[in-house]
Amino acid sequence: MNYKQYLLGLFIIVLTGCSGYTKKDGKVYLRSSNEARIGVRYLEVDNADYSSFKVINHNTNLDLAKDKNHIFIGTSILADAEPSTFEHIKEYYWKDKNYVYLLRFGGTDSKIKQADVKTFEVIDDNLWAKDKDHVYYGLQKLHGADPKKFKAIDEDWGKDGSFFYWHELRIDSLDYASAKILSPYYIKDKQHVYYNDRLVEGANASAFVPDGVGSFGHDDKNMYDREKNEGPITEQYRRTYIDKE
């Protein structure tokens, strides 16, 4: 999955020419982002203070604003955000004096709850980040990851000095020295194949090949869907995936 294209829950900013927010007759409104289906509509931003309300300028596709009391994401209040110290870090990451927020997926509770505000940094432009004590994928903390040694390999895989991680999941039984990433979902070592962090039972690691763009793969005898062995390779499967190689 390409997370840079995954904008679930977000709104497109267009204020009076460049944002979706507008102020009229003592109230604040947000122009609907679903105009193709319902036509042009303006949704009232409840609890917005008219005089202090302003759009927060930044470089991400996100309806974000503040007044003297609240931070607003779309028409909703961002839970616990403190407006006087709220500032942009990078991409979809923001912070105030108390919390770090990831606003990539919408939602009003977008705190990275254990993040240390003072030392938090984005590792790359995907969903990897770290602070002095922990590494994070999105909103989730990676169990046991060493932030001093952690490297983001791509948008799905990362590693520190001891373990590989698929998103926030650690592959504990993977042989680190012989590990080889096969696809956004599959990884193997000299003996085993894993789908995310789950062992693909019985797969021949030396012959295993991921198929298509999703969860399928095959070795020299069998076909697999995620970690499940689907039995001997069928002619249909061979025509669809293997013969195209």
Side-chain angles (χ1 to χ4, degrees):
M1 179 185 295
N2 186 340
Y3 284 90
K4 288 190 174 182
Q5 297 175 348
Y6 187 51
L7 301 176
L8 178 63
L10 300 182
F11 306 94
I12 299 173
I13 285 187
V14 190
L15 157 54
T16 318
C18 61
S19 154
Y21 291 107
T22 188
K23 299 166 75 174
K24 182 179 180 181
D25 300 329
K27 295 182 179 181
V28 179
Y29 299 89
L30 177 66
R31 183 167 177 164
S32 170
S33 62
N34 197 10
E35 295 177 9
R37 184 171 64 86
I38 63 176
V40 177
R41 292 178 59 188
Y42 289 88
L43 308 174
E44 184 176 350
V45 182
D46 294 329
N47 301 308
D49 178 73
Y50 186 86
S51 61
S52 64
F53 186 92
K54 65 178 181 179
V55 174
I56 299 174
N57 295 315
H58 52 87
N59 62 359
T60 53
N61 295 320
L62 175 70
D63 281 316
L64 198 63
K66 71 176 183 178
D67 64 16
K68 64 181 181 179
N69 300 312
H70 304 293
I71 299 295
F72 297 90
I73 180 169
T75 59
S76 300
I77 294 172
L78 183 63
D80 301 322
E82 205 284 312
S84 67
T85 59
F86 193 78
E87 61 179 332
H88 188 215
I89 301 174
K90 186 180 181 181
E91 295 294 325
Y92 294 95
Y93 291 90
W94 297 75
K95 68 179 181 180
D96 61 19
K97 66 179 182 179
N98 298 313
Y99 299 105
V100 175
Y101 305 84
L102 175 58
L103 304 183
R104 193 164 195 164
F105 309 111
T108 58
D109 187 3
S110 301
K111 293 189 292 292
I112 303 176
K113 295 179 181 178
Q114 297 182 346
D116 178 73
V117 175
K118 293 182 179 180
T119 61
F120 185 89
E121 61 180 289
V122 180
I123 296 176
D124 63 13
D125 293 341
N126 295 306
L127 292 173
W128 301 105
K130 67 179 182 179
D131 60 24
K132 63 183 178 64
D133 295 316
H134 304 296
V135 180
Y136 305 89
Y137 186 84
L139 300 174
Q140 303 300 316
K141 184 182 75 173
L142 276 61
H143 174 66
D146 184 345
K148 294 180 181 179
K149 297 181 179 180
F150 189 84
K151 178 183 177 182
I153 299 170
D154 56 32
E155 63 186 346
D156 296 299
W157 295 99
K159 67 178 182 178
D160 62 10
S162 303
F163 297 99
F164 279 74
Y165 293 81
W166 184 84
H167 297 189
E168 75 278 9
L169 302 174
R170 191 174 80 183
I171 304 98
D172 288 335
S173 56
L174 179 75
D175 178 65
Y176 186 91
S178 63
K180 181 180 179 181
I181 295 169
L182 301 177
S183 78
Y185 304 99
Y186 285 106
I187 190 170
K188 72 175 183 178
D189 60 23
K190 59 186 177 181
Q191 291 186 314
H192 301 107
V193 179
Y194 298 82
Y195 177 82
N196 303 347
D197 66 331
R198 302 191 293 273
L199 179 66
V200 182
E201 291 283 355
N204 180 353
S206 64
F208 189 88
V209 178
D211 295 313
V213 296
S215 61
F216 301 122
H218 74 275
D219 59 16
D220 52 333
K221 295 180 180 179
N222 297 310
M223 53 189 180
Y224 300 85
D225 182 359
R226 299 176 174 84
E227 74 274 19
K228 184 179 179 182
N229 187 329
E230 296 286 344
I233 296 170
T234 63
E235 286 304 314
Q236 179 63 43
Y237 191 95
R238 184 177 300 278
R239 287 194 302 269
T240 302
Y241 295 108
I242 301 174
D243 290 345
K244 289 186 176 183
E245 297 176 0

